[in-house]
Amino acid sequence: MSGVLITFEGVEGSGKTTQMRRLGRWLRAEGHRVECTREPDGTRLGLAVRRLFERPGVRPEPLVEVFLFMAARHQHVAEKVRPWLARGRVVLSDRYADATVAYQGYGRGIDPDLIRELNVRATGGVLPDLTLLFDVDPAEGFRRIGARRRDHFEREALAFHRRVRRGYLEILRAEPKRVRLVRAAEPPAVVAAEVRALVEDFLRGA
Ligand code: TMP
């Protein structure tokens, strides 16, 4: 596989989605062939998974959440990520394997090692080459989201989101070469410059 996979992670309201689009435009202008995708809804099956969480009366057990995100991930890798990497693309994914470790592991209390094992199977070993962790206090993240209608996870208490943030920071501590911290509370233009610098640096060495 000759492409590279760059993933974007962080708590709600961290600005990762906007920054990913911005980076995608910049990389294309620099002459890279870029594909932008997301989890869980990067495929039609994944979109169905996302919608399932919003159905009235549907309350998946924490382990069921893990299985649903893993199912969406396996489909996403098979349908999109692996073929793109084989064609040498720079693949940008808004959330990927670390999200399940942070949300279902640290947030919901499922054993993170079990999730890591399942991630290896679900991704078939297609792990990110670089992960940008958009770090912000969840309270600040929610201030940014404002009054828009909140989804299943956004409706969780702040304490849940603080555990998720702690989980992401643990992942960073364990893999400081792959995972790079982005100070997401800075103004968007400053964050964009930091993201570009990290990615440029990475691509130069890739
Ligand atoms: P978002 O990326 O638009 O915020 O939406 C994805 C939501 O799904 C977000 O609340 C985090 C949640 N999620 C998990 O809990 N586990 C996962 O593995 C993934 C991919 C997402």
Side-chain angles (χ1 to χ4, degrees):
M1 257 188 258
S2 53
V4 292
L5 174 59
I6 303 177
T7 61
F8 291 67
E9 300 280 1
V11 294
E12 320 291 330
S14 63
K16 65 183 170 45
T17 306
T18 312
Q19 291 291 342
M20 187 181 101
R21 288 203 201 106
R22 205 163 162 164
L23 178 74
R25 284 196 297 274
W26 180 75
L27 285 172
R28 283 192 190 104
E30 293 286 299
H32 293 280
R33 291 184 305 164
V34 180
E35 304 287 351
C36 291
T37 188
R38 50 185 295 133
E39 286 206 1
D41 42 354
T43 64
R44 290 176 74 92
L45 183 139
L47 184 60
V49 165
R50 190 192 188 101
R51 290 195 174 137
L52 196 53
F53 283 102
E54 301 307 323
R55 287 179 78 118
V58 169
R59 279 183 288 276
E61 287 291 315
L63 192 56
V64 174
E65 285 187 5
V66 171
F67 293 145
L68 289 171
F69 285 116
M70 291 296 167
R73 183 158 305 135
H74 189 68
Q75 191 70 24
H76 184 219
V77 172
E79 255 183 53
K80 304 267 175 91
V81 180
R82 192 185 285 278
W84 281 332
L85 292 175
R87 278 184 252 133
R89 302 288 201 265
V90 176
V91 180
L92 308 182
S93 185
D94 187 352
R95 298 199 188 280
Y96 195 68
D98 296 317
T100 321
V101 178
Y103 278 78
Q104 281 64 47
Y106 289 85
R108 295 278 195 238
I110 300 287
D111 177 6
D113 285 333
L114 169 66
I115 297 175
R116 285 191 193 95
E117 247 173 70
L118 292 170
N119 265 336
V120 171
R121 299 300 292 261
T123 61
V126 178
L127 296 173
D129 299 292
L130 173 69
T131 295
L132 301 176
L133 172 56
F134 288 74
D135 185 53
V136 69
D137 183 325
E140 170 59 22
F142 280 110
R143 263 194 295 280
R144 291 182 180 187
I145 287 176
R148 83 156 149 80
R149 197 172 151 263
R150 297 187 175 187
D151 71 20
H152 178 80
F153 291 97
E154 288 167 352
R155 289 193 296 272
E156 283 291 335
L158 206 51
F160 171 83
H161 294 284
R162 292 201 195 285
R163 290 196 297 278
V164 171
R165 183 191 194 190
R166 211 177 319 125
Y168 273 129
L169 292 172
E170 279 296 313
I171 295 169
L172 168 77
R173 204 181 48 79
E175 289 181 80
K177 248 182 88 82
R178 171 179 68 89
V179 186
R180 306 304 301 269
L181 187 91
V182 176
R183 287 159 302 151
E186 297 291 318
V190 175
V191 176
E194 192 176 353
V195 166
R196 270 175 210 175
L198 285 168
V199 171
E200 242 182 343
D201 204 44
F202 165 77
L203 289 175
R204 217 175 293 127

